Each structure stands twice: as C-alpha cells, then as structure tokens.
Amino acid sequence: MIRRLLETLFPRRDNAAIDDELEFHIAMRAREFESGGLTPAEAQREARKKFGGQSTLREQTREAHVYRTVETLLREARYSFRALAKRPALWVAGTLTLALGIGANLAIFAIVDALLLRPLPIPEPDRFFVIAERRNGAHTGGNVPRMRAYAQADSLESIGGFFSERVAVIAGDGSRGLKTLRTSGDVLSAFGYKLAAGRNFTEAERNGDGNAVLLGHFYWQREFAAATDVIGKTLQTQNGALQIVGILPPEASLIEDHDIWLPSLASVQNGPATAGYLQVITRLKPGINPARANAQLGAAAGQFPEIAARLTPLNDVVASEAQTPLLLLVSVVVTLLLVACANLAGLLIARNSERARELSIRLSIGAGRWDLLRLLFMEALWIAAVGGGLGVLAGKWVLDVILAYRPADLLLASTIQLDWRAFIVAFLLTCFSALFAGLLPAWQAARSRQRTGRLRNTLVAGQIAVSMILVSTAILLVNTLLTARQRPFGFVRDHVVAIEFDMPWSTDGDKVKRFYDSVEAAARELPGVRAAGIVDRLPLQGGAQGYTYTRIRGVTLDDAIARRVVGLRAISNGYFSTLRIPLLRGRLAEPPHREIVINETFAKRYFGAADPIGASISFSRPTAEPKWYVVVGVVGDVARSAMDPAFPAETFVHHSLTYWPQGTLVIHGEGDPETLLRAALARVYQVDPYVLTKFSGTLDAKLESSWSEPNLLTSLVAATALLAMLLVSLGVYGVAASAVRSRTREFGVRAALGATPRMLASLSLSQGLRLATIGGVIGLAGAFAVPPLISAIIPGRSSFQAAELASSIAAMIALALLASIGPARRAARVDPAITLRHD
C-alpha cells in the first residue's frame, strides 16, 4: 500500500521506471528475433509490433501499481488550483469571507470551551465542588462556623473556604499591594493541588495562629526569579513579617491568580454564623455519590436558620453568569458563518455559470456527472482550506481583542486560548464550509438543466434574512444601551473624584472608623471642596451589603415581603451632599445613635402612604432578638446597576455602626479634577502612608467601568452585524451583475423599442429590492425570538419597538439598493445597436 501510494504521488519517477522496464523487454525480444535471422532494425520493429503501443502498456502497468482514484483527485486538485489562480478576485473574496466567519467562531468557541466545556484545571475535577449556600432562597456567602459544621460529613475528604483581599507589602520605595487569597480550612487539599516546594499550612496556622504564607507560582517567578532557597525567608507587611513556607504549583493560578495565600486571622474565623464572606469548596472521598453528600450537607445546614446548602460544580457557577451572553454570541457568530458560506456559494454559482461551455465540452467527451461534481467541489475545497487556515489567525486576533476588554473578575480567564481542541473545531468548520458552500453549486452545475439564477436568488434572500436578525439584534442592544445611559440614576457625578480603599478584612474596626473620619475631614479642608463623604460601594457598582429579613415594630408584614432582599449602604452624611442625592423627608442620621435613613423605594414598599419617620425597623431573623434602628430620613432612589432600570430598596447607616473596610472617599470640588485628586491623595497618605487604593480618579471614569460588559457584548454583535451586511452587499451585487449580463440582449431589445435608461436601470434595481423585501420579511419573523434572550442579559427589554424593526428593514433595503446601483448603471448604458449587431 505504501509503495502504491508513493508511486501515485510521484508519477514522473514511476513513468521513467516503467519505460526502462519496457525497453528492457523489447530489447530481449529483439535479440530473439535477431537469433532467428532478422536484421537488427527488422528485429527491433518486430519486437515493438509484438508488444503493442507503448502508451497503452504504460497505462496498464501503472493501473496495477497506483491508486487511480487518488491519482485522479490529485490531478483535479492541481487543475482546480490553476483555475482558481486565474481568478484571484474569487479566491481572495472567498477565503477572506470564510476566514472572518471561521475566526469569529473559533474565538467564541475558545471562551465557551474554557468556561463551560473543558474539565477544570484541578486534579480529579469530578470530585471537586463548590458548596452553594442560600438564605431564604437568596444566594449568600459562607462562614467558618457553618464550614466546620459541614466538615463533619463523612462523605467529604477535605473542605476549605477563601476570600480575596490585598495585603500591603513594605519595600524600600513604600508599600505595594499583593492580591491575597485568605483561607480557612484546608483549601490546598480541597483543590487537590500539590505544592511545587515547601509544605502546607499546619492545623494551627489554618486556624489563624502563626505567620506562614504560601507564594503564588507566577509571583515567585516574577519577584524571586524562581529561586529555590526562598523557603524560610520573610515578607515584610504592614501587619508584621510573614514566613514563606511553600510555593504553589502553576495550576493554582489558572482559576484565579493570587500573589500569596494567607490563613484568615482567628478574629475573622471566629465570627458569627450569620456572616456571609466565604466561598466554601470541598472534595468528596473517592467513590462517594454527590447525592449522599448533598443529603449530609442539608442535615448540617439545618442547624442554621434559613440556610440551605448544596454541592455545585464550579463550571455551573461560572455558567450561571456567562451562559446566556455566550449563547447569544454563539448564535451570532454561527449566523455570520452561515452568511459567509451562502455568500461563497453565490460566488461559486456565478463562477460555474461562466464555465457552461467548458462543462458541456467535458460532458460531450465522456465526463460523467460525478466527474463534474468532484471537479467543481474541489475548487470550493481549496477556498475553504485556505479560508480555514486564515480563520485560525483571525480567531487568534479576535480572541486577543475580546480578552483585552473582558471583565476583570472573569474566572478561568487565563485558561482561554486556542489549543488543539480549537484546531479540531477549525477543521470541522472548514469541512462544513466546504460542504455547505461548495456541494450545492457543484451539484447544480453538474445537472443537465441549470437554473443558476433561482438558486442564487434563494441564497441571497437567505443571507438577507439571517442578516436582518443580526442587524435587528444589534439595533436592539445599541438602543437598550443608549436608553440605559440616558436614564436618571438618582445622583450627580459632575466634578466628583473618588478614591477606593482596599484595607484587609482583618483590619480593626475602630481603626477603619478613625481612618474614614480622618480622610473625610482632611478632604473637606482642601481648597475648592464643596462636599466630601464616605460610601462602602459607589452607585452602579452593584450591592455591597444586604438584609434578607425586615421587621417593623408594631407592624405585621407579609412573610414574602419581609423576606425580600434589602440593600445596606455604609456611608457618612457627606455622601449625600457630595453626589447631590436629595433628602426628601426628615434629617440625616447622627452617630452614634442607632438611626437609619431609607430610600424612597423602601418607604413605598414597607410603609405605603404612611410617614416612616420615627418608625423602628430591624433586620434580625424572627427567632432572634431584634436590634432596632429608628428611621430619621428618606432620600431619593439611587440606581444600583447600570443596566437594571429598577431602583432597589436600600437603607443607609453611618459607617461607624457597621464594618466594611473597603470603602470609597468621594469629593465634590471646583476646578481641575486632576489637581483636586492629587491633593486628596496627598492628604490620604498623610493619614496612613501604607493604605492601599485600588482606584483613584474621576467618578465618571470609575462608573464607565459599569458599562464594560454590555459595551463589549454590544460591540461584538454590532461588528458581526456589519460584517454580515458587507457580505450581503457582495451577494446582492453579484446577483444583480449576473442578471444584467444574462439579460443584455433583452435590455438591448427593450432599448431598441423605446425603453429609456431610467426604465432599464429600474428593472435591475427591482431585483435587488425584491430580494431585500423577501429576505427582510423572513428575517422579521425570526427576529421576534431575540428579545427574550436579550432580556435575560439586560433587564427591561422584552420586545422590539416598531421603530427598531422598521430601521432594520430599511437598512437591508437601502443596502440592497446601494449594491444594485453599479449593475443598474451598466444596464442603463446598454447600446441596442451593438447588442443586436453582436447577436
């Protein structure tokens, strides 16, 4: 088999060998004739006559030593390659079209694969689970007391919990924040990681007794040049020296990269069982069914009121947030690939129609339908192969662009890449593109009766239909984003700067209070400052703290209303004046009294038309002793989310009455914001030279990050829609140009009978208009499936507006007319005398 294959692939060498062998046998036969009395010339002539035609013998010999099918395919591949080389415009247009479609699909596949499909970069991932906890049906974080209760289940091999913060490391040039994973329990064993060097935390260290630290692998390489003698050395931090006891493996940074791992302090681990700050993970014992572990977790969670716990695969945790946007992106890029394939099919149909004379000659000299089908399909295969190769490069570029603008907190982001799985997908997409775009035109051209116009019109109408869906989706997303940006948010952000602090969760509460009071007072003293205040988290950045049960003294609330989530904001009174949030009733709270301010939505939900001022409210569970707050004021509503139009029910307490070390200083001042910001930062570092800040800038710049995810999604869909429109314009142009060429004689006759150039141009334009109308109507029906998917991503939009659908149809009609202008002008310039003389 190998010898026959080699002889098939190298025909020149094979022909020479066969000719030598034939000459040898002819010479031997000639000698026999010479020995019988013939002259050498007569003997040679007689020997050749006995052997027959040398060409026939060569072919018969080769058939026994080569694969004729492979040889035929190679010959047709070379011929189709030469034919395409003579039509570079077709090749370039076809390969670039497929490269865009395949590249976009590869980029989105790499993201879907990393987040939803690929096994986790964890040893034995089928045994690894996240313990998802809910309080009254709402998601909540865990804590160490509950984690210790779950650890009693005999189905769990190990259990641990963690949260992220930053720790200030003191260097010669000041302090520097390190991204830190604070652990409780045996997090390393729960993940299943093996240390690259050193040892794990001891039991005492896990409980917060000691100063041991584990170095992240990439931090170790970056800061210590991968030195092997780093074990035993110390890191100097603001809170003391940390001794390096181990180095994490590189896979420990794949889910989420941290510079160091530190056990949580004992004061944090011994907190109340009602807190929710910990992400709890566990590893099941070998052979344990998750259902058994869930039953044991449910029994353990029953010790804590209103808590439910269940094992959840990490992929499901990631998918809960990413699945719907990725589903939309997958639908969009697959649609783009279909448009690209339909466009290439239209180009090949036009190419085949120009070769009608060649195909007829091939049929007349003995070629079969299968021979023509194979030859024509080979051209599509060449285009698809080159397009697939370029698609891999395009996919790498598109993926780099997406990752550059990805959300900063995206889990598994470091594992998103084009690997061997993506290359397999690229191969499959290339095969699909070749079949979809090449088989139908080749089959149609190989038939005895060709109707190229009808088939190509159908493909273009289909392109317009699916492009209509993409365009309407893009318009819906853009309008939703613009509407969200223009709606009132309940505050004013002009001339406001913000400084976000990132203090460790182990920071003493009194120290946090003194720091906030000091930086706020220092900011008020700056020249040109009108107001300054503290808030735990800025508007549009999501919730910070919250309550899951509300009680009002003297009022019996419906249980469903009482269990609705209520937001809690830790603030200073200067926050309201800084962001110019109106005080609607009452006054602001005066610490240290247990006074609280509510927003308008909270007042309407729980008090209706009654005056809430003076009422006492508590957020303790029904079985717990209530801790009452007195309502002293009502302020205007402030949006919590950039895209959610609903205002949440929120309460505001002075920061000294709660604990939240990651707060923000906001300053409203006159003059240049950059000058004000530099002066404010100087005052902050005077208060605490080692404080860590994770953002400092104008409030506009900070809030702009709230739009990053919808901006990215909208940009990707809009870019895909524009590409689809470009492909549609090429398809309509090709149909119109082909129609003008095929109707040249008709246009000449019409012109001879008195038709004006405008009438001839309108005949050409009408075809593009008809295709756009048919495709637009079909696409309009499919577009109605889009709003439910969008509403799952961006709340508040459940249907199209009439103007959006009308603008989508208008865009497709305008595009079709624009693409038909060139062929229409050629139709208008048809000279009847030249046309009829040619006939």
Side-chain angles (χ1 to χ4, degrees):
M1 293 176 62
I2 296 176
R3 181 179 178 183
R4 289 184 67 185
L5 183 60
L6 291 175
E7 291 178 355
T8 303
L9 296 177
F10 302 99
R12 293 181 180 177
R13 186 191 68 182
D14 298 337
N15 288 338
I18 293 173
D19 290 342
D20 290 342
E21 186 176 355
L22 288 175
E23 290 298 329
F24 171 77
H25 287 287
I26 291 173
M28 293 293 292
R29 181 62 61 90
R31 290 194 188 97
E32 293 179 3
F33 288 137
E34 285 184 28
S35 62
L38 297 179
T39 66
E42 292 174 341
Q44 185 74 13
R45 184 169 54 253
E46 189 66 23
R48 292 188 178 278
K49 184 187 301 183
K50 293 292 183 180
F51 268 89
Q54 192 168 353
S55 298
T56 303
L57 286 174
R58 184 190 299 120
E59 291 301 317
Q60 291 175 349
T61 304
R62 280 184 52 78
E63 286 182 359
H65 294 85
V66 299
Y67 291 107
R68 298 295 296 177
T69 302
V70 176
E71 189 178 46
T72 301
L73 290 175
L74 290 175
R75 182 175 62 251
E76 292 178 347
R78 289 191 293 269
Y79 174 82
S80 60
F81 183 88
R82 291 193 300 270
L84 280 175
K86 297 178 182 178
R87 297 293 301 272
L90 171 64
W91 202 337
V92 171
T95 54
L96 290 182
T97 296
L98 288 185
L100 290 173
I102 293 175
N105 277 270
L106 281 183
I108 301 303
F109 168 78
I111 299 174
V112 173
D113 184 41
L115 301 185
L116 305 180
L117 304 178
R118 190 187 306 164
L120 293 171
I122 295 174
E124 298 182 273
D126 56 317
R127 295 169 53 203
F128 175 81
F129 291 89
V130 173
I131 298 182
E133 297 180 86
R134 290 185 173 273
R135 185 192 301 274
N136 293 331
H139 174 74
T140 184
N143 55 55
V144 175
R146 294 205 296 265
M147 184 188 73
R148 289 170 178 163
Y150 302 149
Q152 302 305 313
D154 61 11
S155 58
L156 307 184
E157 182 177 87
S158 55
I159 189 170
F162 58 85
F163 61 89
S164 294
E165 66 177 21
R166 290 206 300 166
V167 169
V169 174
I170 300 175
D173 55 350
S175 63
R176 188 157 46 96
L178 296 185
K179 190 174 181 182
T180 304
L181 191 78
R182 284 285 191 177
T183 67
S184 298
D186 195 355
V187 175
L188 191 71
S189 298
F191 275 115
Y193 297 142
K194 302 295 183 183
L195 288 173
R199 63 170 177 84
N200 193 2
F201 298 128
T202 65
E203 186 65 30
E205 290 168 344
R206 293 189 195 116
N207 293 328
D209 182 13
N211 63 341
V213 62
L214 297 178
L215 297 185
H217 196 85
F218 300 133
Y219 176 74
W220 169 60
Q221 292 180 326
R222 184 173 66 249
E223 298 296 327
F224 296 93
T228 56
D229 60 349
V230 72
I231 304 297
K233 293 185 177 180
T234 59
L235 290 177
Q236 295 298 325
T237 72
Q238 184 180 0
N239 296 324
L242 300 175
Q243 185 179 29
I244 302 171
V245 300
I247 300 169
L248 293 163
E251 57 267 24
S253 299
L254 294 179
I255 295 180
E256 188 175 1
D257 190 19
H258 289 83
D259 296 319
I260 58 175
W261 285 21
L262 273 177
S264 299
L265 296 181
S267 58
V268 176
Q269 300 202 45
N270 296 329
T274 57
Y277 60 89
L278 208 61
Q279 178 66 72
V280 183
I281 60 173
T282 188
R283 178 168 291 271
L284 300 185
K285 292 180 179 178
I288 294 295
N289 191 315
R292 175 185 170 187
N294 274 324
Q296 294 179 348
L297 286 178
Q303 307 173 34
F304 308 97
E306 306 167 352
I307 294 294
R310 184 173 183 82
L311 297 178
T312 304
L314 181 59
N315 281 121
D316 291 354
V317 175
V318 177
S320 63
E321 297 183 359
Q323 188 170 11
T324 303
L326 288 179
L327 176 61
L328 175 63
L329 289 178
V330 168
S331 303
V332 166
V333 295
V334 168
T335 303
L336 176 64
L337 182 60
L338 294 177
V339 173
C341 291
N343 189 70
L344 176 58
L347 293 175
L348 292 175
I349 289 173
R351 159 76 169 154
N352 295 340
S353 64
E354 296 172 2
R355 303 172 63 184
R357 185 171 181 272
E358 174 197 342
L359 299 180
S360 298
I361 293 174
R362 286 179 176 272
L363 287 172
S364 64
I365 61 177
R369 304 294 176 190
W370 168 247
D371 298 321
L372 293 184
L373 178 67
R374 188 176 59 241
L375 176 65
L376 297 176
F377 178 71
M378 194 67 69
E379 293 187 3
L381 197 58
W382 273 115
I383 295 176
V386 178
L390 294 177
V392 174
L393 300 178
K396 180 66 169 61
W397 178 79
V398 172
L399 184 60
D400 290 342
V401 171
I402 295 176
L403 292 180
Y405 295 95
R406 64 174 174 82
D409 57 349
L410 181 65
L411 292 177
L412 300 172
S414 61
T415 66
I416 300 176
Q417 59 184 342
L418 294 181
D419 56 6
W420 63 271
R421 299 155 67 94
F423 285 102
I424 292 177
V425 172
F427 174 76
L428 295 177
L429 290 176
T430 301
C431 295
F432 168 79
S433 301
L435 291 172
F436 186 94
L439 195 57
L440 183 61
W443 173 79
Q444 187 267 348
R447 296 172 60 193
S448 57
R449 295 183 179 182
Q450 300 183 13
R451 296 181 178 179
T452 58
R454 179 179 299 179
L455 177 58
R456 196 172 184 192
N457 289 346
T458 301
L459 289 173
V460 173
Q463 284 182 264
I464 293 174
V466 295
S467 298
M468 167 73 183
I469 298 176
L470 288 179
V471 171
S472 59
T473 302
I475 291 176
L476 175 63
L477 283 172
V478 170
N479 284 345
T480 303
L481 191 58
L482 292 177
T483 301
R485 281 181 170 272
Q486 295 169 0
R487 67 184 175 88
F489 295 111
F491 65 94
V492 180
R493 58 188 184 183
D494 297 339
H495 298 95
V496 177
V497 297
I499 303 173
E500 281 189 307
F501 306 113
D502 198 7
M503 290 180 283
W505 287 94
S506 57
T507 307
D508 180 72
D510 290 336
K511 181 180 178 180
V512 173
K513 175 183 178 300
R514 289 193 302 268
F515 175 78
Y516 286 160
D517 290 340
S518 299
V519 295
E520 182 180 6
R524 286 203 188 99
E525 296 173 358
L526 293 173
V529 171
R530 293 185 176 181
I534 295 291
V535 63
D536 53 3
R537 185 172 293 183
L538 291 168
L540 308 187
Q541 303 294 298
Q545 307 176 68
Y547 299 117
T548 57
Y549 200 89
T550 303
R551 301 164 68 179
I552 302 176
R553 179 178 284 171
V555 178
T556 302
L557 295 176
D558 182 79
D559 190 64
I561 296 178
R563 292 181 182 276
R564 293 184 67 178
V565 176
V566 172
L568 166 67
R569 296 284 185 181
I571 51 92
S572 69
N573 289 342
Y575 165 71
F576 298 110
S577 55
T578 303
L579 268 61
R580 284 145 285 179
I581 300 171
L583 177 65
L584 304 179
R585 273 180 283 181
R587 61 176 175 82
L588 299 180
E590 297 179 357
H593 304 295
R594 291 185 63 83
E595 297 177 341
I596 195 168
V597 175
I598 62 176
N599 71 344
E600 192 174 12
T601 297
F602 185 96
K604 291 179 179 178
R605 178 191 295 179
Y606 293 100
F607 294 96
D611 186 3
I613 304 299
S616 295
I617 59 177
S618 173
F619 305 101
S620 305
R621 299 188 308 274
T623 57
E625 183 68 24
K627 297 179 179 179
W628 300 106
Y629 289 92
V630 177
V631 179
V632 296
V634 179
V635 296
D637 291 330
V638 175
R640 178 186 296 178
S641 169
M643 299 306 300
D644 192 348
F647 289 109
E650 287 190 319
T651 61
F652 303 86
V653 300
H654 195 269
H655 64 78
S656 61
L657 299 180
T658 184
Y659 179 77
W660 198 264
Q662 297 181 346
T664 304
L665 172 67
V666 287
I667 307 171
H668 174 213
E670 300 173 345
D672 179 34
E674 294 298 328
T675 302
L676 176 60
L677 183 63
R678 286 194 296 269
L681 283 171
R683 291 294 181 92
V684 166
Y685 289 124
Q686 286 178 4
V687 174
D688 186 348
Y690 298 108
V691 68
L692 297 177
T693 60
K694 57 183 178 181
F695 173 82
S696 59
T698 63
L699 187 58
D700 276 329
K702 176 61 179 177
L703 298 186
E704 190 62 30
S705 63
S706 305
W707 310 96
S708 59
E709 293 183 38
N711 279 345
L712 177 60
L713 181 63
T714 302
S715 299
L716 291 175
V717 175
T720 306
L722 290 176
L723 288 175
M725 293 178 69
L726 175 63
L727 297 179
V728 166
S729 65
L730 293 177
V732 174
Y733 175 85
V735 167
S738 179
V740 169
R741 286 194 299 269
S742 62
R743 299 174 67 184
T744 300
R745 184 176 183 278
E746 175 193 343
F747 288 153
V749 173
R750 286 178 179 272
L753 296 176
T756 64
R758 177 175 296 181
M759 295 171 62
L760 296 178
S762 64
L763 288 175
S764 178
L765 289 174
S766 63
Q767 185 173 21
L769 181 62
R770 184 168 58 252
L771 290 176
T773 303
I774 295 173
V777 171
I778 297 173
L780 183 63
F784 283 103
V786 174
L789 183 60
I790 299 298
S791 64
I793 305 171
I794 303 176
R797 289 302 303 267
S798 59
S799 63
F800 280 109
Q801 296 177 1
E804 293 170 340
L805 294 176
S807 59
S808 300
I809 296 178
M812 301 311 298
I813 292 176
L815 184 69
L817 291 177
L818 186 64
S820 302
I821 288 178
R825 293 181 63 183
R826 285 197 295 272
R829 291 197 298 264
V830 169
D831 189 333
I834 296 177
T835 302
L836 296 178
R837 187 185 311 120
H838 177 74
D839 289 343

